Amino acid sequence: MTDEKKVLIVIAPRNFRDEELTEPINYLMQAGISYDVISTTRGLAVGMMGGEMQVEHTVSDLNEGDITKYNAILIVGGNGAPEYLWNYRPLLELVQKFDKQESVISAICLAPAILGQAGVLKDKKATVWNDDQAIEEIRKGGGIFTSSPIVVDGRIITANGPTAAAGFGEKVATSVKNL
């Protein structure tokens, strides 16, 4: 791996939460950390607040070699996360690969449920949007749910929603920079 730090950001193709993407990107850029944004489909992804992101690569496009270029994965939440990202086998496998290479794994809002589904939260504290099904996914995956806005447990960083997006972005950027 080069000295350059890089984060892989995953968004839903529809209804990702805009500030949960833009706030972390601001902190990554301030820290000199590059990033790529992917989704489940190519094309124009549209956020809940109308923000747009052109997506050129999908989760399924990545191979083993590509994954080693990244120091972290960041999964954005929003209403589109359950519909497009929860239980999406290629994403769950991608999260497991990031865990295996001991990278920073981060998710915000409804996205931490994916970490539970991927099985990377065993005995780890995590937070998620206050939604019964999302909380259940954390627990089913062996995670310890906590209602704090932002939770850092080792390499796992989770946040509970848009109001925590800036602090979440700062924690992710700091964790990646300190690798």
CSV table of all heavy atoms in Angstrom, one decimal, residues 1 9 19 23 31-32 45 53 57 61 64 70 87 95 105 107-108 110 113 125 147 160 167:
chain,number,residue,atom,x,y,z
A,1,MET,N,0.8,-1.2,0.0
A,1,MET,CA,0.0,0.0,0.0
A,1,MET,C,0.9,1.2,0.0
A,1,MET,O,1.9,1.3,0.7
A,1,MET,CB,-0.9,0.0,1.3
A,1,MET,CG,-2.0,1.0,1.2
A,1,MET,SD,-3.2,0.8,2.6
A,1,MET,CE,-4.0,-0.7,2.1
A,9,ILE,N,-16.2,5.0,-0.4
A,9,ILE,CA,-17.5,5.4,0.1
A,9,ILE,C,-18.6,4.7,-0.7
A,9,ILE,O,-18.5,4.7,-1.9
A,9,ILE,CB,-17.6,7.0,0.0
A,9,ILE,CG1,-16.5,7.7,0.8
A,9,ILE,CG2,-19.0,7.4,0.5
A,9,ILE,CD1,-16.5,9.2,0.6
A,19,GLU,N,-26.0,14.9,3.6
A,19,GLU,CA,-24.9,15.4,4.4
A,19,GLU,C,-24.1,14.3,5.0
A,19,GLU,O,-23.0,14.6,5.5
A,19,GLU,CB,-25.5,16.4,5.5
A,19,GLU,CG,-26.5,15.7,6.5
A,19,GLU,CD,-27.9,15.8,6.0
A,19,GLU,OE1,-28.3,15.2,5.0
A,19,GLU,OE2,-28.7,16.4,6.7
A,23,GLU,N,-20.5,15.8,4.4
A,23,GLU,CA,-19.7,16.2,5.5
A,23,GLU,C,-18.4,15.3,5.7
A,23,GLU,O,-17.3,15.9,5.9
A,23,GLU,CB,-20.5,16.1,6.8
A,23,GLU,CG,-21.6,17.2,6.9
A,23,GLU,CD,-21.0,18.6,7.2
A,23,GLU,OE1,-19.8,18.7,7.8
A,23,GLU,OE2,-21.6,19.6,6.8
A,31,ALA,N,-8.1,16.6,5.3
A,31,ALA,CA,-7.0,15.8,5.9
A,31,ALA,C,-6.1,15.3,4.7
A,31,ALA,O,-5.1,14.6,5.0
A,31,ALA,CB,-7.6,14.6,6.6
A,32,GLY,N,-6.4,15.6,3.5
A,32,GLY,CA,-5.6,15.2,2.4
A,32,GLY,C,-5.8,13.7,2.0
A,32,GLY,O,-4.9,13.1,1.5
A,45,ALA,N,-26.6,9.0,-8.9
A,45,ALA,CA,-27.2,8.7,-7.6
A,45,ALA,C,-27.8,10.0,-7.1
A,45,ALA,O,-27.2,11.1,-7.2
A,45,ALA,CB,-26.2,8.1,-6.7
A,53,MET,N,-24.7,12.6,-7.2
A,53,MET,CA,-23.3,12.1,-7.3
A,53,MET,C,-23.3,11.1,-8.5
A,53,MET,O,-24.1,10.2,-8.6
A,53,MET,CB,-23.0,11.4,-6.0
A,53,MET,CG,-21.6,10.7,-6.0
A,53,MET,SD,-20.2,11.8,-6.2
A,53,MET,CE,-20.2,12.6,-4.7
A,57,HIS,N,-18.5,3.3,-10.7
A,57,HIS,CA,-18.2,1.9,-10.4
A,57,HIS,C,-19.2,1.4,-9.4
A,57,HIS,O,-19.7,2.2,-8.6
A,57,HIS,CB,-16.7,1.8,-9.9
A,57,HIS,CG,-15.7,2.2,-10.9
A,57,HIS,ND1,-15.4,1.4,-12.0
A,57,HIS,CD2,-15.0,3.3,-11.0
A,57,HIS,CE1,-14.5,2.1,-12.7
A,57,HIS,NE2,-14.2,3.2,-12.1
A,61,ASP,N,-18.0,-4.3,-9.1
A,61,ASP,CA,-16.8,-4.1,-10.0
A,61,ASP,C,-15.5,-4.4,-9.3
A,61,ASP,O,-14.5,-4.6,-9.9
A,61,ASP,CB,-16.8,-2.7,-10.5
A,61,ASP,CG,-17.9,-2.3,-11.5
A,61,ASP,OD1,-18.5,-3.3,-12.0
A,61,ASP,OD2,-18.2,-1.1,-11.7
A,64,GLU,N,-10.2,-8.2,-5.6
A,64,GLU,CA,-9.3,-8.3,-4.4
A,64,GLU,C,-8.2,-7.2,-4.4
A,64,GLU,O,-7.9,-6.6,-3.4
A,64,GLU,CB,-8.7,-9.7,-4.3
A,64,GLU,CG,-9.7,-10.8,-3.9
A,64,GLU,CD,-10.2,-10.7,-2.5
A,64,GLU,OE1,-9.6,-10.2,-1.6
A,64,GLU,OE2,-11.4,-11.2,-2.4
A,70,TYR,N,-7.4,0.7,-0.5
A,70,TYR,CA,-8.2,1.5,0.4
A,70,TYR,C,-7.8,1.3,1.9
A,70,TYR,O,-7.6,0.1,2.3
A,70,TYR,CB,-9.7,1.3,0.2
A,70,TYR,CG,-10.2,1.7,-1.1
A,70,TYR,CD1,-10.3,0.7,-2.1
A,70,TYR,CD2,-10.4,3.0,-1.5
A,70,TYR,CE1,-10.7,1.1,-3.4
A,70,TYR,CE2,-10.8,3.4,-2.7
A,70,TYR,CZ,-11.0,2.4,-3.7
A,70,TYR,OH,-11.4,2.8,-5.0
A,87,ASN,N,-28.6,-6.4,3.3
A,87,ASN,CA,-28.7,-7.7,2.7
A,87,ASN,C,-28.1,-7.9,1.3
A,87,ASN,O,-28.4,-8.9,0.6
A,87,ASN,CB,-30.1,-8.3,2.8
A,87,ASN,CG,-30.5,-8.4,4.3
A,87,ASN,OD1,-29.9,-9.0,5.1
A,87,ASN,ND2,-31.7,-7.8,4.6
A,95,VAL,N,-17.5,-5.7,2.9
A,95,VAL,CA,-17.2,-5.3,4.3
A,95,VAL,C,-16.4,-6.3,5.0
A,95,VAL,O,-15.4,-6.0,5.8
A,95,VAL,CB,-18.6,-5.0,5.1
A,95,VAL,CG1,-18.3,-4.8,6.6
A,95,VAL,CG2,-19.3,-3.8,4.5
A,105,ILE,N,-13.6,0.6,9.3
A,105,ILE,CA,-14.9,0.3,8.8
A,105,ILE,C,-15.9,1.2,9.5
A,105,ILE,O,-16.0,1.3,10.7
A,105,ILE,CB,-15.4,-1.2,9.1
A,105,ILE,CG1,-14.4,-2.2,8.4
A,105,ILE,CG2,-16.8,-1.4,8.7
A,105,ILE,CD1,-14.6,-3.6,8.8
A,107,ALA,N,-19.9,3.4,9.2
A,107,ALA,CA,-21.2,3.5,8.7
A,107,ALA,C,-22.0,4.5,9.5
A,107,ALA,O,-21.8,4.6,10.7
A,107,ALA,CB,-21.8,2.1,8.7
A,108,ILE,N,-23.0,5.1,8.9
A,108,ILE,CA,-23.8,6.2,9.6
A,108,ILE,C,-25.3,6.0,9.3
A,108,ILE,O,-25.6,5.5,8.2
A,108,ILE,CB,-23.3,7.6,9.1
A,108,ILE,CG1,-24.0,8.7,9.9
A,108,ILE,CG2,-23.4,7.8,7.6
A,108,ILE,CD1,-23.5,10.1,9.8
A,110,LEU,N,-28.7,4.6,8.9
A,110,LEU,CA,-29.3,3.2,8.8
A,110,LEU,C,-28.2,2.2,8.3
A,110,LEU,O,-28.5,1.0,8.3
A,110,LEU,CB,-30.5,3.2,7.9
A,110,LEU,CG,-31.7,3.9,8.5
A,110,LEU,CD1,-32.8,4.2,7.4
A,110,LEU,CD2,-32.3,3.0,9.6
A,113,ALA,N,-26.5,-1.1,10.3
A,113,ALA,CA,-27.1,-2.4,10.2
A,113,ALA,C,-26.4,-3.4,9.3
A,113,ALA,O,-26.3,-4.6,9.5
A,113,ALA,CB,-28.6,-2.2,9.7
A,125,LYS,N,-19.2,-2.3,20.2
A,125,LYS,CA,-20.2,-1.3,20.4
A,125,LYS,C,-20.5,-0.5,19.1
A,125,LYS,O,-19.6,-0.2,18.4
A,125,LYS,CB,-19.8,-0.3,21.5
A,125,LYS,CG,-19.7,-0.9,22.9
A,125,LYS,CD,-19.3,0.2,23.9
A,125,LYS,CE,-19.2,-0.5,25.3
A,125,LYS,NZ,-18.4,0.3,26.2
A,147,SER,N,-26.9,4.1,22.3
A,147,SER,CA,-27.6,5.2,21.7
A,147,SER,C,-26.8,6.5,21.5
A,147,SER,O,-27.3,7.5,21.2
A,147,SER,CB,-28.9,5.5,22.5
A,147,SER,OG,-28.5,5.9,23.8
A,160,ASN,N,-25.2,7.9,14.3
A,160,ASN,CA,-26.7,7.6,14.3
A,160,ASN,C,-27.5,8.5,13.3
A,160,ASN,O,-28.7,8.3,13.2
A,160,ASN,CB,-27.3,7.7,15.7
A,160,ASN,CG,-27.2,9.1,16.2
A,160,ASN,OD1,-26.8,10.1,15.6
A,160,ASN,ND2,-27.7,9.3,17.5
A,167,GLY,N,-19.2,15.3,12.9
A,167,GLY,CA,-18.4,14.6,13.9
A,167,GLY,C,-17.9,13.2,13.4
A,167,GLY,O,-16.8,12.8,13.6
